[in-house]
Amino acid sequence: AWQNGAAPAVSAARSAAPTAGGATGGADGINAFAMLMDPGRGGTGASSREPARSAAATTAASTAAPRAQGAGPSWFTALNAYVEHPERHAADIVHRDAVCTVIRDKFPKAKVHLLVLSNRFIPDLLKLTPADVPTLKHMLSVAQQLETKELARDPTLVFRTGLHAIPSMERLHVHLISQDFSSPCLKNKKHWNSFASEFFLSATDVLGQLETTGGVTIDRTRYEAVLKQDLRCHRCGITLRNMPKLKGHIAMCAQ
């Protein structure tokens, strides 16, 4: 994420998960865990003095990702901050509602590269359950609306909406990415194959499988191999030797 081939079949089977919920349109930064543990605010050992939780605190708790005690922030968990503390990332957020938050990818791989994040914490696509169908549908609807806006600005752009078969960051997120792949952040084979191969799963296919079978599974060994395959133009399929040659080719390839 902070980093066309035909979309692969996605098979699925997953156990039930909590019912869908969502964040409200904002957050006031209250840390429910710190509130619980602070004796001065009615923490552990003083339940009779614990104040009623505000709506904002309840929202923060419902959107927050589970944390191991003592664990600090890292690239793997970095997306959580945009949902849990949107007030700290206003410059990066392009849309926010009760269900999802949309941000600009910090290391975009194309002219337009947006991430649609689920406000309710879902680790990744492999943890999707039937209860998550409305959430994923809404995320795709928002992606479609944003694609329409981007096309109004530049009708020459072509977009794909999808998910990585093996996500590199936690919290369910959908990529909306233009197919020009014109970006200095697109640097290596892994970057390219993450978005221009079958590793990039069609979001509508993922939704379809979730609705049909109740969950999503992938062949990890297969997709790890896809990341290592030769560089191929996503338009004409020609194989290129390295990234500079690939970038030079796709800048002119019209197929």
Side-chain angles (χ1 to χ4, degrees), residues 10-18 20 116-118 120-140 162-165 167 171-174 201-211 213-218:
V10 185
S11 61
R14 189 62 52 190
S15 59
V116 185
L117 315 176
S118 169
R120 182 167 55 84
F121 183 71
I122 304 170
D124 56 46
L125 78 167
L126 299 181
K127 300 300 189 296
L128 286 166
T129 74
D132 301 316
V133 168
T135 295
L136 187 56
K137 279 186 173 180
H138 180 81
M139 292 169 69
L140 301 195
L163 302 87
H164 287 151
R171 187 173 290 268
L172 180 71
H173 57 283
V174 173
L201 306 176
S202 163
T204 54
D205 284 354
V206 172
L207 175 60
Q209 290 298 320
L210 178 60
E211 290 181 306
T213 63
V216 179
T217 61
I218 59 98

Side-chain angles (χ1 to χ4, degrees), residues 124-246:
D124 56 46
L125 78 167
L126 299 181
K127 300 300 189 296
L128 286 166
T129 74
D132 301 316
V133 168
T135 295
L136 187 56
K137 279 186 173 180
H138 180 81
M139 292 169 69
L140 301 195
S141 175
V142 169
Q144 180 62 59
Q145 293 170 36
L146 292 172
E147 177 179 342
T148 299
K149 289 182 179 180
E150 293 296 339
L151 288 173
R153 296 189 186 102
D154 186 350
T156 67
L157 294 176
V158 176
F159 287 90
R160 285 195 70 200
T161 304
L163 302 87
H164 287 151
I166 306 174
S168 59
M169 304 181 77
E170 81 168 0
R171 187 173 290 268
L172 180 71
H173 57 283
V174 173
H175 296 262
L176 173 64
I177 184 168
S178 56
Q179 298 299 286
D180 52 272
F181 294 113
S182 177
S183 170
C185 296
L186 188 68
K187 298 179 178 180
N188 55 49
K189 180 185 289 188
K190 184 175 181 180
H191 288 168
W192 177 254
N193 286 331
S194 291
F195 292 97
S197 74
E198 60 186 296
F199 187 90
F200 192 63
L201 306 176
S202 163
T204 54
D205 284 354
V206 172
L207 175 60
Q209 290 298 320
L210 178 60
E211 290 181 306
T212 301
T213 63
V216 179
T217 61
I218 59 98
D219 184 339
R220 189 178 185 90
T221 300
R222 171 190 174 190
Y223 287 112
E224 286 176 343
V226 168
L227 287 179
K228 300 174 183 178
Q229 71 186 16
D230 292 340
L231 297 169
R232 296 188 182 93
C233 174
H234 61 305
R235 295 186 180 122
C236 69
I238 189 174
T239 299
L240 285 305
R241 188 169 54 190
N242 53 45
M243 286 301 297
K245 289 187 178 298
L246 175 64

Side-chain angles (χ1 to χ4, degrees), residues 78 80-94 103:
N80 295 322
Y82 295 94
V83 174
E84 295 168 15
H85 301 288
E87 73 285 354
R88 301 177 186 174
H89 304 280
D92 299 312
I93 294 175
V94 300
I103 65 171

